[in-house]
Amino acid sequence: MVEATAIAQTMFHYVRDHVLEPIINIYAGIGKKEQATMHYALVTYRDHSSCGGYSAWDSPLTSEFRELRYWLNSIEFGGGGLGRKCAIAE
């Protein structure tokens, strides 16, 4: 789950590169070692904005890390925030 309000954008790149990518790589290794098929999904959310757009978006389930990485790199940040602290990623 990733917060996609505009204020979270600058922090997200750090979180993606230093937290989410290492976790994805660990799970990729576990899946190969255990010969298991794992499925992943991405949920993004943000406040309603004057620009329109979604307040929540969810991906379909996938077992492909490339697809998950594509979704992470394609998040459109915008709206909301209002200077409050953000959750960024859970």
Side-chain angles (χ1 to χ4, degrees):
M1 180 178 292
V2 176
E3 180 174 342
T5 53
I7 198 168
Q9 184 172 10
T10 56
M11 293 178 281
F12 176 73
H13 298 292
Y14 178 86
V15 170
R16 181 195 59 207
D17 296 342
H18 295 91
V19 177
L20 297 176
E21 277 292 329
I23 291 170
I24 289 170
N25 291 331
I26 289 169
Y27 277 106
I30 290 171
K32 288 179 184 176
K33 182 180 176 182
E34 300 295 326
Q35 298 180 350
T37 301
M38 296 189 220
H39 291 88
Y40 310 91
L42 176 67
V43 175
T44 61
Y45 65 94
R46 64 175 170 230
D47 296 341
H48 289 285
S49 72
S50 59
C51 301
Y54 67 88
S55 56
W57 176 83
D58 62 319
S59 71
L61 289 173
T62 184
S63 60
E64 296 293 324
F65 286 106
R66 287 174 291 192
E67 196 165 16
L68 180 59
R69 284 186 178 107
Y70 173 79
W71 294 330
L72 286 170
N73 292 328
S74 301
I75 295 173
E76 294 181 15
F77 292 85
L82 303 173
R84 297 186 181 120
K85 292 183 180 179
C86 302
I88 305 298
E90 294 181 4

Coordinates of all heavy atoms in Angstrom, one line a residue:
M1 N 0.9 -1.2 0.0 CA 0.0 0.0 0.0 C 0.9 1.2 0.0 O 1.8 1.3 0.8 CB -0.9 0.0 1.2 CG -1.8 1.2 1.2 SD -3.0 1.2 2.6 CE -4.0 -0.2 2.2
V2 N 0.7 2.1 -0.9 CA 1.5 3.3 -1.1 C 0.6 4.6 -1.1 O -0.4 4.6 -1.8 CB 2.3 3.3 -2.4 CG1 3.1 4.6 -2.6 CG2 3.3 2.1 -2.3
E3 N 1.0 5.6 -0.3 CA 0.3 6.8 -0.3 C 0.8 7.6 -1.5 O 2.0 7.7 -1.7 CB 0.6 7.7 0.9 CG -0.1 9.0 0.9 CD 0.0 9.8 2.2 OE1 0.3 9.2 3.2 OE2 -0.3 11.0 2.1
A4 N -0.1 8.1 -2.3 CA 0.2 8.8 -3.6 C -0.1 10.2 -3.6 O -0.3 10.8 -4.7 CB -0.4 8.0 -4.8
T5 N -0.3 10.9 -2.4 CA -0.5 12.3 -2.4 C 0.8 13.0 -2.9 O 1.9 12.5 -2.8 CB -0.9 12.8 -1.1 OG1 0.1 12.4 -0.1 CG2 -2.3 12.3 -0.7
A6 N 0.7 14.2 -3.4 CA 1.8 14.9 -4.0 C 3.0 15.1 -3.0 O 4.1 15.0 -3.4 CB 1.3 16.3 -4.5
I7 N 2.7 15.3 -1.7 CA 3.7 15.6 -0.7 C 4.6 14.3 -0.5 O 5.7 14.4 -0.1 CB 3.1 16.1 0.6 CG1 4.2 16.7 1.5 CG2 2.4 14.9 1.3 CD1 3.6 17.5 2.6
A8 N 4.0 13.1 -0.8 CA 4.8 11.9 -0.6 C 5.8 11.6 -1.7 O 6.6 10.7 -1.5 CB 3.8 10.7 -0.4
Q9 N 5.7 12.2 -2.8 CA 6.5 11.9 -4.0 C 8.0 11.9 -3.8 O 8.7 11.0 -4.1 CB 6.1 12.8 -5.2 CG 6.9 12.4 -6.4 CD 6.4 13.2 -7.6 OE1 5.6 14.1 -7.5 NE2 6.8 12.7 -8.8
T10 N 8.5 13.0 -3.1 CA 9.9 13.1 -3.0 C 10.4 12.0 -2.0 O 11.5 11.5 -2.2 CB 10.3 14.5 -2.4 OG1 9.6 14.7 -1.2 CG2 10.0 15.6 -3.4
M11 N 9.7 11.6 -1.0 CA 10.1 10.6 -0.1 C 9.9 9.2 -0.6 O 10.7 8.3 -0.3 CB 9.3 10.7 1.2 CG 9.6 12.0 2.0 SD 8.6 12.1 3.5 CE 7.1 12.7 2.8
F12 N 9.0 9.0 -1.5 CA 8.7 7.7 -2.1 C 9.9 7.1 -2.8 O 10.2 5.9 -2.7 CB 7.5 7.7 -3.0 CG 7.3 6.3 -3.6 CD1 6.8 5.3 -2.8 CD2 7.6 6.1 -4.9 CE1 6.6 4.0 -3.4 CE2 7.4 4.8 -5.5 CZ 6.9 3.8 -4.7
H13 N 10.6 7.9 -3.6 CA 11.8 7.4 -4.3 C 12.8 6.8 -3.4 O 13.4 5.7 -3.7 CB 12.4 8.5 -5.2 CG 11.4 9.0 -6.2 ND1 10.9 8.2 -7.3 CD2 10.7 10.2 -6.3 CE1 10.0 8.9 -8.0 NE2 9.9 10.1 -7.4
Y14 N 13.0 7.4 -2.3 CA 14.0 6.8 -1.3 C 13.4 5.5 -0.7 O 14.1 4.5 -0.6 CB 14.3 7.8 -0.2 CG 15.2 7.3 0.9 CD1 16.6 7.3 0.7 CD2 14.7 6.6 2.0 CE1 17.4 6.8 1.6 CE2 15.5 6.1 2.9 CZ 16.9 6.2 2.8 OH 17.8 5.6 3.7
V15 N 12.2 5.5 -0.3 CA 11.5 4.4 0.2 C 11.5 3.2 -0.8 O 11.8 2.1 -0.4 CB 10.1 4.7 0.7 CG1 9.3 3.4 1.1 CG2 10.1 5.6 1.9
R16 N 11.2 3.5 -2.0 CA 11.2 2.5 -3.1 C 12.6 1.9 -3.2 O 12.7 0.6 -3.2 CB 10.8 3.1 -4.4 CG 10.7 2.1 -5.5 CD 10.6 2.7 -6.9 NE 11.8 3.5 -7.1 CZ 11.8 4.6 -7.9 NH1 10.7 5.0 -8.5 NH2 12.9 5.3 -8.0
D17 N 13.6 2.7 -3.3 CA 15.0 2.2 -3.6 C 15.6 1.5 -2.4 O 16.4 0.6 -2.6 CB 15.9 3.3 -4.1 CG 15.4 3.9 -5.4 OD1 14.6 3.2 -6.1 OD2 15.8 5.0 -5.7
H18 N 15.3 2.0 -1.2 CA 16.1 1.5 0.0 C 15.2 0.6 0.9 O 15.8 0.0 1.8 CB 16.6 2.7 0.8 CG 17.6 3.5 0.0 ND1 17.3 4.5 -0.8 CD2 19.0 3.3 -0.1 CE1 18.4 5.0 -1.3 NE2 19.4 4.3 -0.9
V19 N 13.9 0.5 0.7 CA 13.1 -0.3 1.5 C 12.3 -1.4 0.7 O 12.5 -2.6 0.9 CB 12.1 0.5 2.4 CG1 11.2 -0.4 3.2 CG2 12.8 1.5 3.3
L20 N 11.6 -0.9 -0.3 CA 10.7 -1.8 -1.1 C 11.5 -2.7 -2.0 O 11.3 -3.9 -2.1 CB 9.7 -1.0 -1.9 CG 8.7 -0.2 -1.1 CD1 7.8 0.6 -2.0 CD2 7.9 -1.1 -0.1
E21 N 12.5 -2.2 -2.7 CA 13.3 -3.0 -3.6 C 14.1 -4.1 -2.9 O 14.0 -5.3 -3.3 CB 14.3 -2.2 -4.4 CG 13.7 -1.5 -5.6 CD 13.3 -2.5 -6.7 OE1 14.0 -3.6 -6.9 OE2 12.4 -2.2 -7.5
P22 N 14.7 -3.8 -1.7 CA 15.3 -5.0 -1.0 C 14.3 -6.0 -0.6 O 14.6 -7.2 -0.6 CB 16.0 -4.3 0.2 CG 16.3 -2.9 -0.3 CD 15.1 -2.6 -1.2
I23 N 13.2 -5.6 -0.1 CA 12.1 -6.6 0.3 C 11.7 -7.4 -0.9 O 11.5 -8.6 -0.8 CB 10.9 -5.9 0.9 CG1 11.4 -5.3 2.3 CG2 9.7 -6.8 1.1 CD1 10.3 -4.4 2.9
I24 N 11.5 -6.8 -2.1 CA 11.1 -7.5 -3.3 C 12.2 -8.5 -3.6 O 11.9 -9.7 -4.0 CB 10.8 -6.5 -4.4 CG1 9.6 -5.7 -4.2 CG2 10.8 -7.2 -5.8 CD1 9.3 -4.6 -5.1
N25 N 13.4 -8.1 -3.6 CA 14.5 -9.0 -3.9 C 14.6 -10.2 -2.9 O 14.9 -11.4 -3.3 CB 15.8 -8.3 -3.9 CG 15.9 -7.3 -5.1 OD1 15.3 -7.5 -6.1 ND2 16.7 -6.3 -4.9
I26 N 14.3 -10.0 -1.7 CA 14.3 -11.1 -0.7 C 13.1 -12.1 -1.0 O 13.4 -13.3 -1.1 CB 14.1 -10.5 0.7 CG1 15.4 -9.8 1.2 CG2 13.7 -11.7 1.7 CD1 15.3 -9.1 2.5
Y27 N 12.0 -11.5 -1.3 CA 10.8 -12.4 -1.6 C 11.1 -13.2 -2.9 O 10.7 -14.3 -3.1 CB 9.5 -11.7 -1.7 CG 8.9 -11.5 -0.3 CD1 8.9 -10.2 0.3 CD2 8.3 -12.5 0.3 CE1 8.4 -10.1 1.6 CE2 7.8 -12.4 1.6 CZ 7.8 -11.1 2.2 OH 7.2 -11.0 3.4
A28 N 11.7 -12.5 -3.9 CA 12.0 -13.2 -5.1 C 12.9 -14.4 -4.9 O 12.8 -15.5 -5.4 CB 12.7 -12.2 -6.1
G29 N 13.9 -14.2 -4.0 CA 14.8 -15.3 -3.6 C 14.1 -16.4 -2.9 O 14.4 -17.6 -3.1
I30 N 13.2 -16.1 -2.0 CA 12.5 -17.1 -1.2 C 11.6 -17.9 -2.1 O 11.5 -19.1 -2.0 CB 11.6 -16.4 -0.1 CG1 12.6 -15.9 1.0 CG2 10.6 -17.4 0.5 CD1 11.8 -15.0 2.0
G31 N 10.9 -17.2 -3.1 CA 10.1 -17.9 -4.0 C 10.8 -18.9 -4.8 O 10.3 -20.0 -5.1
K32 N 12.0 -18.6 -5.3 CA 12.8 -19.5 -6.1 C 13.3 -20.7 -5.2 O 13.3 -21.8 -5.7 CB 14.0 -18.8 -6.7 CG 13.6 -17.8 -7.8 CD 14.8 -17.1 -8.4 CE 14.4 -16.1 -9.5 NZ 15.5 -15.4 -10.0
K33 N 13.8 -20.3 -4.1 CA 14.3 -21.4 -3.2 C 13.3 -22.4 -2.8 O 13.5 -23.6 -2.8 CB 14.9 -20.7 -1.9 CG 15.5 -21.7 -0.9 CD 16.1 -21.0 0.3 CE 16.6 -21.9 1.3 NZ 17.1 -21.3 2.5
E34 N 12.1 -21.9 -2.4 CA 11.0 -22.8 -2.0 C 10.2 -23.4 -3.1 O 9.3 -24.1 -2.9 CB 10.1 -22.0 -1.1 CG 10.7 -21.5 0.2 CD 11.2 -22.6 1.1 OE1 10.6 -23.6 1.2 OE2 12.3 -22.4 1.7
Q35 N 10.5 -22.9 -4.4 CA 9.8 -23.3 -5.6 C 8.3 -23.1 -5.4 O 7.5 -23.9 -5.7 CB 10.1 -24.8 -5.9 CG 11.5 -25.1 -6.2 CD 11.8 -26.5 -6.6 OE1 10.9 -27.4 -6.4 NE2 13.0 -26.8 -7.0
A36 N 8.0 -21.9 -4.8 CA 6.7 -21.5 -4.6 C 6.3 -20.4 -5.5 O 7.1 -19.6 -6.0 CB 6.5 -21.0 -3.2
T37 N 5.0 -20.3 -5.8 CA 4.5 -19.2 -6.6 C 3.8 -18.2 -5.7 O 2.9 -18.6 -5.0 CB 3.5 -19.7 -7.7 OG1 4.1 -20.6 -8.5 CG2 2.9 -18.5 -8.5
M38 N 4.4 -17.0 -5.6 CA 3.8 -16.0 -4.7 C 3.1 -15.0 -5.6 O 3.5 -14.7 -6.7 CB 4.9 -15.3 -3.9 CG 5.5 -16.3 -2.9 SD 6.6 -15.3 -1.8 CE 8.0 -16.4 -1.7
H39 N 2.1 -14.4 -5.1 CA 1.3 -13.3 -5.8 C 1.4 -12.0 -5.0 O 1.4 -12.0 -3.8 CB -0.1 -13.8 -6.0 CG -0.2 -14.9 -7.0 ND1 -0.2 -16.2 -6.5 CD2 -0.4 -15.0 -8.3 CE1 -0.3 -17.0 -7.6 NE2 -0.4 -16.3 -8.7
Y40 N 1.5 -11.0 -5.8 CA 1.6 -9.6 -5.2 C 0.6 -8.7 -5.9 O 0.2 -8.9 -7.0 CB 3.0 -9.1 -5.5 CG 4.1 -10.1 -5.1 CD1 4.6 -11.0 -6.0 CD2 4.6 -10.1 -3.8 CE1 5.5 -12.0 -5.6 CE2 5.5 -11.1 -3.4 CZ 5.9 -12.0 -4.3 OH 6.8 -12.9 -3.9
A41 N 0.3 -7.6 -5.1 CA -0.6 -6.6 -5.7 C -0.1 -5.2 -5.1 O 0.6 -5.2 -4.1 CB -2.0 -6.8 -5.3
L42 N -0.5 -4.2 -5.7 CA -0.2 -2.8 -5.3 C -1.5 -2.1 -5.1 O -2.4 -2.1 -5.9 CB 0.7 -2.1 -6.3 CG 1.1 -0.7 -6.0 CD1 2.0 -0.6 -4.7 CD2 1.7 0.0 -7.1
V43 N -1.6 -1.4 -4.0 CA -2.7 -0.5 -3.7 C -2.1 0.9 -3.4 O -1.2 1.1 -2.7 CB -3.5 -0.9 -2.5 CG1 -4.6 0.1 -2.1 CG2 -4.1 -2.3 -2.7
T44 N -2.6 1.9 -4.2 CA -2.2 3.3 -3.9 C -3.5 4.1 -3.5 O -4.6 3.7 -3.9 CB -1.6 4.0 -5.2 OG1 -2.5 4.0 -6.2 CG2 -0.3 3.2 -5.6
Y45 N -3.3 5.1 -2.7 CA -4.4 5.9 -2.2 C -3.9 7.4 -2.1 O -2.8 7.6 -1.9 CB -5.0 5.4 -0.9 CG -4.0 5.5 0.2 CD1 -4.0 6.6 1.1 CD2 -3.0 4.5 0.5 CE1 -3.1 6.7 2.1 CE2 -2.1 4.6 1.5 CZ -2.1 5.7 2.3 OH -1.2 5.8 3.3
R46 N -4.9 8.3 -2.2 CA -4.6 9.7 -1.9 C -5.9 10.4 -1.7 O -7.0 9.9 -2.0 CB -3.9 10.3 -3.1 CG -4.6 10.3 -4.4 CD -3.8 11.1 -5.4 NE -4.4 10.9 -6.7 CZ -3.8 10.6 -7.8 NH1 -2.5 10.3 -7.8 NH2 -4.4 10.4 -9.0
D47 N -5.8 11.6 -1.1 CA -7.0 12.4 -0.9 C -7.6 12.8 -2.3 O -6.9 12.9 -3.3 CB -6.7 13.7 -0.2 CG -6.2 13.4 1.2 OD1 -6.5 12.3 1.7 OD2 -5.5 14.3 1.8
H48 N -8.9 13.2 -2.3 CA -9.4 13.7 -3.5 C -8.8 15.1 -3.8 O -8.4 15.8 -2.9 CB -11.0 14.0 -3.3 CG -11.7 12.7 -3.3 ND1 -12.0 12.0 -4.4 CD2 -12.3 12.0 -2.3 CE1 -12.7 10.9 -4.1 NE2 -12.9 10.9 -2.8
S49 N -8.6 15.4 -5.0 CA -7.9 16.6 -5.4 C -8.8 17.4 -6.3 O -9.7 16.9 -7.0 CB -6.5 16.4 -6.0 OG -6.7 15.9 -7.3
S50 N -8.5 18.7 -6.5 CA -9.3 19.5 -7.4 C -9.0 19.1 -8.9 O -9.7 19.5 -9.8 CB -9.0 21.0 -7.2 OG -7.6 21.2 -7.4
C51 N -7.9 18.4 -9.1 CA -7.5 17.9 -10.4 C -8.2 16.7 -10.8 O -8.1 16.2 -11.9 CB -6.0 17.6 -10.4 SG -5.0 19.0 -10.0
G52 N -9.0 16.1 -9.9 CA -9.7 14.9 -10.2 C -8.8 13.7 -10.0 O -7.9 13.7 -9.2
G53 N -9.1 12.6 -10.6 CA -8.3 11.4 -10.4 C -8.9 10.5 -9.4 O -10.0 10.7 -8.8
Y54 N -8.2 9.4 -9.1 CA -8.7 8.4 -8.2 C -8.3 8.7 -6.7 O -7.4 9.5 -6.5 CB -8.1 7.0 -8.5 CG -6.6 7.0 -8.3 CD1 -6.1 6.6 -7.1 CD2 -5.7 7.3 -9.3 CE1 -4.7 6.6 -6.9 CE2 -4.3 7.3 -9.1 CZ -3.8 6.9 -7.9 OH -2.5 6.8 -7.7
S55 N -9.0 8.1 -5.8 CA -8.6 8.2 -4.4 C -8.0 6.9 -3.9 O -7.2 6.9 -3.0 CB -9.8 8.6 -3.5 OG -10.8 7.7 -3.6
A56 N -8.3 5.8 -4.6 CA -7.6 4.6 -4.4 C -7.5 3.8 -5.7 O -8.4 3.9 -6.5 CB -8.4 3.8 -3.4
W57 N -6.4 3.1 -5.9 CA -6.3 2.2 -7.1 C -5.6 0.9 -6.6 O -4.8 0.9 -5.7 CB -5.3 2.9 -8.1 CG -5.0 2.1 -9.2 CD1 -5.8 1.9 -10.4 CD2 -3.8 1.3 -9.4 NE1 -5.2 1.1 -11.2 CE2 -4.0 0.6 -10.7 CE3 -2.7 1.0 -8.7 CZ2 -3.0 -0.3 -11.2 CZ3 -1.8 0.1 -9.2 CH2 -1.9 -0.5 -10.4
D58 N -6.1 -0.2 -7.2 CA -5.5 -1.5 -6.9 C -5.2 -2.2 -8.1 O -5.9 -2.1 -9.1 CB -6.4 -2.3 -6.0 CG -7.7 -2.6 -6.6 OD1 -8.3 -1.8 -7.3 OD2 -8.2 -3.8 -6.5
S59 N -4.1 -2.9 -8.1 CA -3.6 -3.7 -9.2 C -4.2 -5.1 -9.2 O -4.6 -5.5 -8.1 CB -2.1 -3.8 -9.2 OG -1.7 -4.6 -8.2
P60 N -4.2 -5.8 -10.3 CA -4.6 -7.2 -10.2 C -3.4 -8.0 -9.5 O -2.3 -7.4 -9.4 CB -4.7 -7.6 -11.6 CG -4.0 -6.6 -12.4 CD -4.0 -5.3 -11.6
L61 N -3.7 -9.2 -9.1 CA -2.6 -10.0 -8.5 C -1.6 -10.4 -9.6 O -2.0 -10.7 -10.8 CB -3.2 -11.3 -7.9 CG -3.9 -11.1 -6.6 CD1 -4.5 -12.4 -6.1 CD2 -3.0 -10.6 -5.5
T62 N -0.3 -10.5 -9.3 CA 0.7 -10.9 -10.2 C 1.7 -11.7 -9.5 O 2.0 -11.5 -8.3 CB 1.3 -9.7 -11.0 OG1 2.2 -10.3 -12.0 CG2 2.1 -8.8 -10.0
S63 N 2.4 -12.6 -10.2 CA 3.5 -13.3 -9.7 C 4.8 -12.8 -10.3 O 5.9 -13.3 -10.0 CB 3.4 -14.8 -9.9 OG 3.3 -15.1 -11.3
E64 N 4.7 -11.8 -11.1 CA 5.8 -11.3 -11.9 C 6.4 -10.0 -11.2 O 5.7 -9.0 -11.0 CB 5.4 -10.9 -13.3 CG 5.0 -12.1 -14.1 CD 6.2 -13.0 -14.4 OE1 7.3 -12.5 -14.6 OE2 6.0 -14.2 -14.4
F65 N 7.6 -10.1 -10.7 CA 8.3 -8.9 -10.1 C 8.4 -7.8 -11.0 O 8.4 -6.6 -10.6 CB 9.6 -9.3 -9.5 CG 9.5 -10.1 -8.2 CD1 9.7 -11.5 -8.2 CD2 9.0 -9.5 -7.0 CE1 9.6 -12.2 -7.1 CE2 8.8 -10.3 -5.9 CZ 9.1 -11.6 -5.9
R66 N 8.6 -8.1 -12.3 CA 8.8 -7.0 -13.3 C 7.5 -6.1 -13.3 O 7.6 -4.9 -13.5 CB 9.1 -7.5 -14.7 CG 10.5 -8.1 -14.8 CD 10.7 -8.7 -16.1 NE 9.9 -9.9 -16.0 CZ 9.9 -10.9 -16.9 NH1 10.7 -10.9 -17.9 NH2 9.2 -12.0 -16.7
E67 N 6.4 -6.8 -13.3 CA 5.1 -6.1 -13.3 C 4.9 -5.2 -12.0 O 4.5 -4.1 -12.1 CB 4.0 -7.1 -13.5 CG 2.7 -6.4 -13.9 CD 1.7 -7.5 -14.4 OE1 1.8 -8.7 -14.1 OE2 0.7 -7.0 -15.0
L68 N 5.3 -5.8 -10.9 CA 5.2 -5.1 -9.6 C 6.1 -3.8 -9.7 O 5.7 -2.7 -9.3 CB 5.5 -5.9 -8.4 CG 5.5 -5.3 -7.1 CD1 4.1 -4.8 -6.7 CD2 5.9 -6.3 -6.0
R69 N 7.3 -4.0 -10.2 CA 8.3 -2.9 -10.3 C 7.7 -1.8 -11.2 O 7.9 -0.6 -11.0 CB 9.6 -3.4 -10.7 CG 10.4 -4.0 -9.6 CD 11.8 -4.4 -10.0 NE 12.5 -5.0 -8.9 CZ 12.8 -6.2 -8.8 NH1 12.5 -7.1 -9.8 NH2 13.5 -6.7 -7.8
Y70 N 7.1 -2.3 -12.3 CA 6.5 -1.3 -13.3 C 5.5 -0.5 -12.6 O 5.4 0.7 -12.8 CB 6.0 -2.1 -14.5 CG 5.2 -1.2 -15.4 CD1 5.9 -0.4 -16.4 CD2 3.8 -1.1 -15.4 CE1 5.2 0.4 -17.2 CE2 3.1 -0.3 -16.3 CZ 3.8 0.5 -17.2 OH 3.1 1.3 -18.0
W71 N 4.6 -1.1 -11.9 CA 3.6 -0.4 -11.2 C 4.2 0.6 -10.2 O 3.7 1.7 -10.1 CB 2.6 -1.3 -10.4 CG 1.8 -2.2 -11.3 CD1 1.3 -1.9 -12.6 CD2 1.3 -3.5 -11.0 NE1 0.6 -2.9 -13.1 CE2 0.6 -3.9 -12.2 CE3 1.4 -4.3 -9.9 CZ2 -0.1 -5.2 -12.2 CZ3 0.8 -5.6 -10.0 CH2 0.1 -6.0 -11.1
L72 N 5.2 0.2 -9.4 CA 5.8 1.1 -8.5 C 6.4 2.3 -9.2 O 6.4 3.4 -8.7 CB 6.9 0.4 -7.7 CG 6.4 -0.6 -6.6 CD1 7.6 -1.4 -6.1 CD2 5.7 0.1 -5.5
N73 N 7.0 2.1 -10.3 CA 7.6 3.2 -11.1 C 6.6 4.0 -11.8 O 7.0 5.1 -12.3 CB 8.7 2.6 -12.0 CG 9.9 2.0 -11.3 OD1 10.2 2.5 -10.3 ND2 10.4 1.0 -11.9
S74 N 5.4 3.6 -11.9 CA 4.4 4.3 -12.7 C 3.4 5.1 -11.8 O 2.4 5.6 -12.3 CB 3.6 3.3 -13.6 OG 4.5 2.7 -14.4
I75 N 3.6 5.1 -10.5 CA 2.6 5.8 -9.6 C 2.6 7.2 -9.9 O 3.6 7.9 -10.1 CB 3.1 5.6 -8.1 CG1 3.0 4.1 -7.7 CG2 2.2 6.4 -7.2 CD1 3.5 3.8 -6.3
E76 N 1.3 7.7 -10.1 CA 1.1 9.2 -10.3 C 0.7 9.8 -9.0 O -0.3 9.6 -8.5 CB 0.0 9.3 -11.4 CG 0.4 8.8 -12.7 CD -0.7 9.0 -13.8 OE1 -1.6 9.8 -13.5 OE2 -0.6 8.4 -14.8
F77 N 1.6 10.7 -8.5 CA 1.4 11.4 -7.3 C 0.6 12.7 -7.6 O 0.9 13.3 -8.6 CB 2.7 11.7 -6.6 CG 3.5 10.5 -6.1 CD1 4.3 9.8 -6.9 CD2 3.3 10.1 -4.8 CE1 4.9 8.6 -6.5 CE2 3.9 8.9 -4.3 CZ 4.7 8.2 -5.2
G78 N -0.2 13.1 -6.6 CA -1.0 14.3 -6.8 C -2.0 14.5 -5.7 O -2.4 13.6 -5.1
G79 N -2.5 15.7 -5.6 CA -3.5 16.1 -4.7 C -3.2 15.9 -3.2 O -2.1 15.5 -2.9
G80 N -4.1 16.2 -2.4 CA -4.0 15.9 -0.9 C -2.8 16.4 -0.2 O -2.1 17.3 -0.7
G81 N -2.5 15.8 0.9 CA -1.3 16.2 1.7 C -1.5 17.2 2.7 O -1.5 17.0 3.9
L82 N -1.7 18.4 2.3 CA -2.0 19.6 3.2 C -0.9 19.8 4.2 O -1.2 20.2 5.3 CB -3.4 19.5 3.8 CG -4.6 19.4 2.8 CD1 -5.8 19.2 3.6 CD2 -4.7 20.6 2.0
G83 N 0.3 19.3 4.0 CA 1.4 19.5 4.9 C 1.4 18.5 6.1 O 2.3 18.6 6.9
R84 N 0.5 17.6 6.1 CA 0.5 16.6 7.2 C 1.5 15.5 6.9 O 1.9 15.3 5.8 CB -0.9 16.0 7.3 CG -1.9 17.1 7.7 CD -3.3 16.4 8.0 NE -4.2 17.4 8.3 CZ -5.3 17.7 7.6 NH1 -5.6 16.9 6.6 NH2 -6.2 18.6 8.0
K85 N 1.9 14.8 8.0 CA 2.8 13.7 7.8 C 2.1 12.6 6.9 O 0.9 12.4 7.0 CB 3.2 13.1 9.1 CG 4.1 14.1 9.9 CD 4.6 13.5 11.2 CE 5.4 14.5 11.9 NZ 5.9 14.0 13.2
C86 N 2.9 11.9 6.2 CA 2.4 10.9 5.3 C 2.8 9.5 5.7 O 3.8 9.3 6.3 CB 3.0 11.1 3.9 SG 2.6 12.8 3.2
A87 N 2.0 8.5 5.3 CA 2.3 7.2 5.6 C 3.3 6.6 4.7 O 4.1 5.7 5.0 CB 1.0 6.3 5.6
I88 N 3.4 7.0 3.5 CA 4.3 6.6 2.4 C 4.0 5.2 1.9 O 3.5 5.0 0.8 CB 5.8 6.8 2.7 CG1 6.0 8.3 3.1 CG2 6.6 6.5 1.5 CD1 5.7 9.3 2.0
A89 N 4.5 4.2 2.7 CA 4.3 2.8 2.2 C 4.1 1.9 3.4 O 4.7 2.1 4.5 CB 5.5 2.3 1.4
E90 N 3.3 0.9 3.3 CA 3.1 -0.1 4.4 C 3.3 -1.5 3.8 O 3.0 -1.8 2.7 CB 1.6 0.1 4.9 CG 1.4 1.4 5.6 CD 0.0 1.5 6.1 OE1 -0.8 0.5 6.0 OE2 -0.4 2.6 6.6

